Amino acid sequence: MGEFSDAVFQQVVRIPRGKVATYGQIARLIGSPRSARYVGYALRGNPSPGMAETDIPCHRVIFKDGSLCKSFAFGGPEEQREMLEQEGVSFLDDGRVNLDAHLWNPNAGDESGNDANGKAGANASLPTAPPPDFNWKLELGE
DNA sequence: AATGTGACCCTCT
DNA sequence: GAGAGGGCCACAT
């Protein structure tokens, strides 16, 4: 595996249980905002897919819209949906993931909790609905 | 070695 | 607001 794929796995494993991340998020985290497409390609060859902490929870990686990828390796989007529901991820009537409630915020160590109140002043508070757009862009300085 | 393709996202018409 | 196109990295042929 190349460094790219390795970096992808490094970030994907950090996604806490009950949270989901988008391909774009992972792409930004590894320093290639425009290579979201290849994040999926890297996950395609994931060594240990599964829900365990030691495994790579690629089922937690979804589209920016909240929909699931059509070509999921486990057995289709249905299986992926089952796994996410088991982790407590809620779905909308559209069949899409409720990103407002379960989107992972990599900047705020969610491992301790999903408060994400570490951010001062900004649009941090997410009692029920975090901002649709994150400020990671600003950090990248694009 | 070059070319094509793939679990996507952003920007410009 | 919607459609088209480019971009990016790794791997197989």
Side-chain angles (χ1 to χ4, degrees), chain A residues 106-137:
Chain A
N107 281 342
D110 274 12
E111 293 140 17
S112 59
N114 57 356
D115 285 336
N117 55 5
K119 305 209 158 195
N123 41 16
S125 62
L126 71 160
T128 52
D133 274 336
F134 286 80
N135 48 2
W136 312 331
K137 255 185 195 173

Side-chain angles (χ1 to χ4, degrees), chain A residues 6-137:
Chain A
D6 194 13
V8 170
F9 296 139
Q10 285 284 347
Q11 298 301 331
V12 172
V13 295
R14 288 181 59 190
I15 303 172
R17 181 175 169 281
K19 291 276 182 174
V20 295
T22 65
Y23 295 96
Q25 280 184 344
I26 304 301
R28 287 177 187 175
L29 288 173
I30 64 181
S32 298
R34 297 293 182 281
S35 25
R37 189 177 192 184
Y38 313 100
V39 171
Y41 189 77
L43 291 177
R44 178 195 188 190
N46 70 3
S48 288
M51 297 173 67
E53 296 297 336
T54 56
D55 293 328
I56 297 174
C58 46
H59 59 279
R60 295 174 188 158
V61 183
I62 60 177
F63 280 98
K64 190 94 176 164
D65 304 356
S67 52
L68 307 177
C69 60
K70 58 180 181 182
S71 301
F72 193 61
F74 289 93
E78 296 180 2
E79 188 69 15
Q80 185 177 7
R81 181 172 164 181
E82 285 281 331
M83 297 170 79
L84 290 174
E85 285 180 349
Q86 282 186 10
E87 295 185 351
V89 176
S90 61
F91 281 72
L92 301 175
D93 294 343
D94 307 7
R96 291 185 286 178
V97 175
N98 188 357
L99 291 177
D100 292 340
H102 300 291
L103 185 59
W104 175 50
N105 187 339
N107 281 342
D110 274 12
E111 293 140 17
S112 59
N114 57 356
D115 285 336
N117 55 5
K119 305 209 158 195
N123 41 16
S125 62
L126 71 160
T128 52
D133 274 336
F134 286 80
N135 48 2
W136 312 331
K137 255 185 195 173

